[in-house]
Amino acid sequence: MKTRHELTEILDFIAEYATYLLGSGVHTSRAIRNSQRIGEALGVDIQLSSFQRSTILTVRDDESGEAITRVVKIPALPISFERNSDLSALSWDALDEHLPLAEIRRRYALLIEKPRIDPIFVLVTVGLANASFCRLFGGDWTAMAIVFTSTLVGFAAKQRMQAHGVNHFLIFIVAAFMASLCASSALRFDCTAETALATSVLFLVPGVPLINGVIDIVEGHILIGCSRLINALLLIICIAIGLAATLLMVKDSLL
Amino acid sequence: MIAADILLDGLFAAVAAIGFGAISDPPMRAFPRIALLAAAGHALRFSMMNYADVDIASASLCAAMLIGFGSLWLGRGIRCPMTVLYIPALLPMVPGIYAYKSVFSLIMFLQSLNDPGQGMQYMQLFFLNATVSLSVIALLAAGATLPIFVFNRRAFSLTRRRKIDHPTPRPPKKDEPATEPDVEPRNPGE
């Protein structure tokens, strides 16, 4: 049997944990499963339902029948698979090692403090990745080099704008425009210019929300799945707007 | 020559997967396995499309299922959930050229409103390319998710420590049929 104070503490932790997971790009059923696993380790029943921007969760003590509910906002965090793995593993550890709440909290704080991947490393690997992508679509070496450079420009712009907290739709439009404008220099060379232009913006494609959306829908969380897909679709439209601006400028040499 | 083509295709897919994966901050220990999955999946799709005349949608579905089952198998060793491995591995298969062509034909359609004949051609191109991109993306995601439904108990406990690490060892239960319904946390299988 838990006191109301203990129950509130558990609820506050689970609220933080679940919204952190949902904010960093974990699909809904995993976030629910992990939270319930921690709840089980602490001896309470947890139910939660989630929307795009907020989560409703209830903690119930089975012995006393007391229940507390909270609505929590989901923070906008960068997507992180590392947090996804670590926090999922934490939920299993909590269950298997019967950790008390204080210990779970301590490990949680350590895990979310872990440094992220170095942005410069990400920048270079994204450049290489987009160049290889160009190759997969049949681009030649000149096109690959151009795509590499334009990806560096576009992605660096995106990183800088994100650091300054610019609206993410604007970020996508501007980054797509800059990357494709650089890539349109391929028209001056004797190479597969259309492939270069097409590939240059693909580093922006929001793959994680797209796939998470489909996963959520097939797992029965249809509402949030659709919200994720619509969100991803908006970003794709932004990419298309940025690309379209370039295409309108150079379309005569493409036809 | 054919083998070299397939290998090269796998190699570029692996580089692409690592780079696109890096945007989503995966754990460092996952990179080799992401690369392996992406290479295997993309090479399979490449071979099916080029040597077996399969269309892009079915080939993508097969490749996505390969990646999905592969991530189930490889995720165990490094305590990573399946999605951490398979989302980056799927990204090189996103049909970028079709997506680009849809945008391009939409723009050209809007530019040729005064010429209905040409406009219809572009509209047709737009629907063709958009249909291909949408179905490929949906099939990619669905194909890779399939293993979660087939082996849900195994898929849900990938991040759990192995039995050796448990303070209280449990009797080994290996891939037994899920006789109890999947109330996963209450009867942990492996």
Side-chain angles (χ1 to χ4, degrees):
Chain A
M1 183 124 149
K2 303 242 181 306
T3 63
R4 190 170 175 86
H5 178 67
E6 281 172 330
L7 217 51
T8 316
E9 277 200 331
I10 294 176
L11 174 66
D12 286 347
F13 174 71
I14 301 283
E16 198 182 329
Y17 176 86
T19 48
Y20 193 94
L21 280 182
L22 289 165
S24 38
V26 176
H27 60 269
T28 314
S29 69
R30 171 171 292 279
I32 294 181
R33 240 178 4 248
N34 286 351
S35 310
Q36 288 180 332
R37 202 175 287 143
I38 292 189
E40 197 192 325
L42 298 170
V44 290
D45 179 48
I46 289 176
Q47 298 297 333
L48 64 100
S49 79
S50 184
F51 306 100
Q52 183 72 15
R53 304 295 292 272
S54 61
T55 300
I56 305 169
L57 69 166
T58 297
V59 174
R60 182 170 182 276
D61 184 3
D62 282 333
E63 284 172 45
S64 65
E66 188 166 9
I68 313 181
T69 298
R70 252 186 87 182
V71 181
V72 203
K73 197 177 145 213
I74 297 178
L77 297 164
I79 289 166
S80 171
F81 285 142
E82 180 156 26
R83 308 284 191 280
N84 177 351
S85 320
D86 289 347
L87 294 179
S88 300
L90 174 68
S91 73
W92 274 116
D93 288 347
L95 185 67
D96 287 336
E97 298 171 22
H98 309 290
L99 301 177
L101 181 61
E103 174 64 14
I104 301 178
R105 249 190 195 291
R106 194 185 63 82
R107 293 197 189 181
Y108 170 81
L110 285 182
L111 289 177
I112 62 171
E113 279 306 309
K114 267 199 195 172
R116 291 174 190 273
I117 294 188
D118 184 49
I120 303 290
F121 172 77
V122 178
L123 180 64
V124 176
T125 44
V126 171
L128 288 174
N130 224 4
S132 323
F133 211 20
C134 175
R135 175 75 186 202
L136 289 179
F137 291 136
D140 55 13
W141 290 101
T142 321
M144 280 174 76
I146 291 172
V147 168
F148 177 73
T149 324
S150 41
T151 307
L152 287 189
V153 173
F155 196 74
K158 180 173 173 238
Q159 283 179 329
R160 294 314 307 152
M161 285 188 283
Q162 272 173 339
H164 284 93
V166 182
N167 173 292
H168 61 292
F169 294 129
L170 279 181
I171 294 182
F172 272 70
I173 294 177
V174 175
F177 174 66
M178 287 175 71
S180 55
L181 192 65
C182 293
S184 69
S185 65
L187 293 165
R188 299 253 163 216
F189 297 93
D190 178 26
C191 66
T192 49
E194 205 178 2
T195 315
L197 205 51
T199 329
S200 61
V201 293
L202 290 181
F203 67 93
L204 289 165
V205 171
V208 178
L210 271 179
I211 295 176
N212 273 340
V214 176
I215 296 178
D216 277 348
I217 289 178
V218 293
E219 288 186 336
H221 300 280
I222 294 178
L223 266 183
I224 188 167
C226 289
S227 331
R228 283 189 208 265
L229 286 184
I230 289 173
N231 227 341
L233 194 67
L234 287 179
L235 293 179
I236 292 177
I237 291 174
C238 289
I239 301 175
I241 292 174
L243 178 64
T246 303
L247 286 180
L248 284 176
M249 288 157 68
V250 301
K251 70 178 163 50
D252 293 334
S253 38
L254 272 175
L255 289 176
Chain B
M1 195 57 211
I2 289 181
D5 277 347
I6 296 179
L7 278 180
L8 217 59
D9 184 82
L11 177 73
F12 284 117
V15 178
I18 290 178
F20 291 138
I23 302 180
S24 319
D25 186 27
M28 277 294 176
R29 59 182 191 275
F31 276 119
R33 295 174 189 222
I34 290 173
L36 182 66
L37 285 174
H42 203 283
L44 174 68
R45 185 173 91 165
F46 178 79
S47 326
M48 285 179 79
M49 283 169 65
N50 285 301
Y51 308 122
D53 264 345
V54 182
D55 65 293
I56 186 170
S58 328
S60 302
L61 180 65
C62 293
M65 276 162 59
L66 176 74
I67 289 179
F69 282 107
S71 66
L72 187 64
W73 175 53
L74 290 173
R76 185 76 182 152
I78 49 171
R79 300 184 77 203
C80 278
M82 281 173 69
T83 41
V84 170
L85 295 180
Y86 80 59
I87 295 184
L90 288 180
L91 291 182
M93 288 203 281
V94 170
I97 292 289
Y98 288 99
Y100 163 80
K101 282 186 181 154
S102 341
V103 175
F104 184 70
S105 18
L106 182 65
I107 295 169
M108 292 315 291
F109 168 73
L110 293 174
Q111 298 291 312
S112 48
L113 290 179
N114 295 329
D115 181 353
Q118 210 180 17
M120 281 319 289
Q121 260 181 1
Y122 281 121
M123 206 63 222
Q124 204 178 0
L125 273 180
F126 170 73
F127 274 110
L128 189 143
N129 288 302
T131 313
V132 173
S133 352
L134 287 182
S135 34
V136 169
I137 290 177
L139 285 174
L140 280 179
T145 315
L146 188 74
I148 296 186
F149 300 127
V150 184
F151 299 109
N152 58 5
R153 277 151 47 98
R154 185 178 157 85
F156 291 167
S157 57
L158 283 182
T159 52
R160 190 176 199 182
R161 278 183 205 282
R162 283 169 186 280
K163 284 182 285 287
I164 308 127
D165 309 335
H166 287 182
T168 48
R170 287 154 204 274
K173 292 185 202 165
K174 215 179 163 193
D175 284 357
E176 52 163 12
T179 40
E180 312 96 322
D182 52 336
V183 277
E184 172 54 27
R186 294 219 173 77
N187 47 21
E190 302 189 13

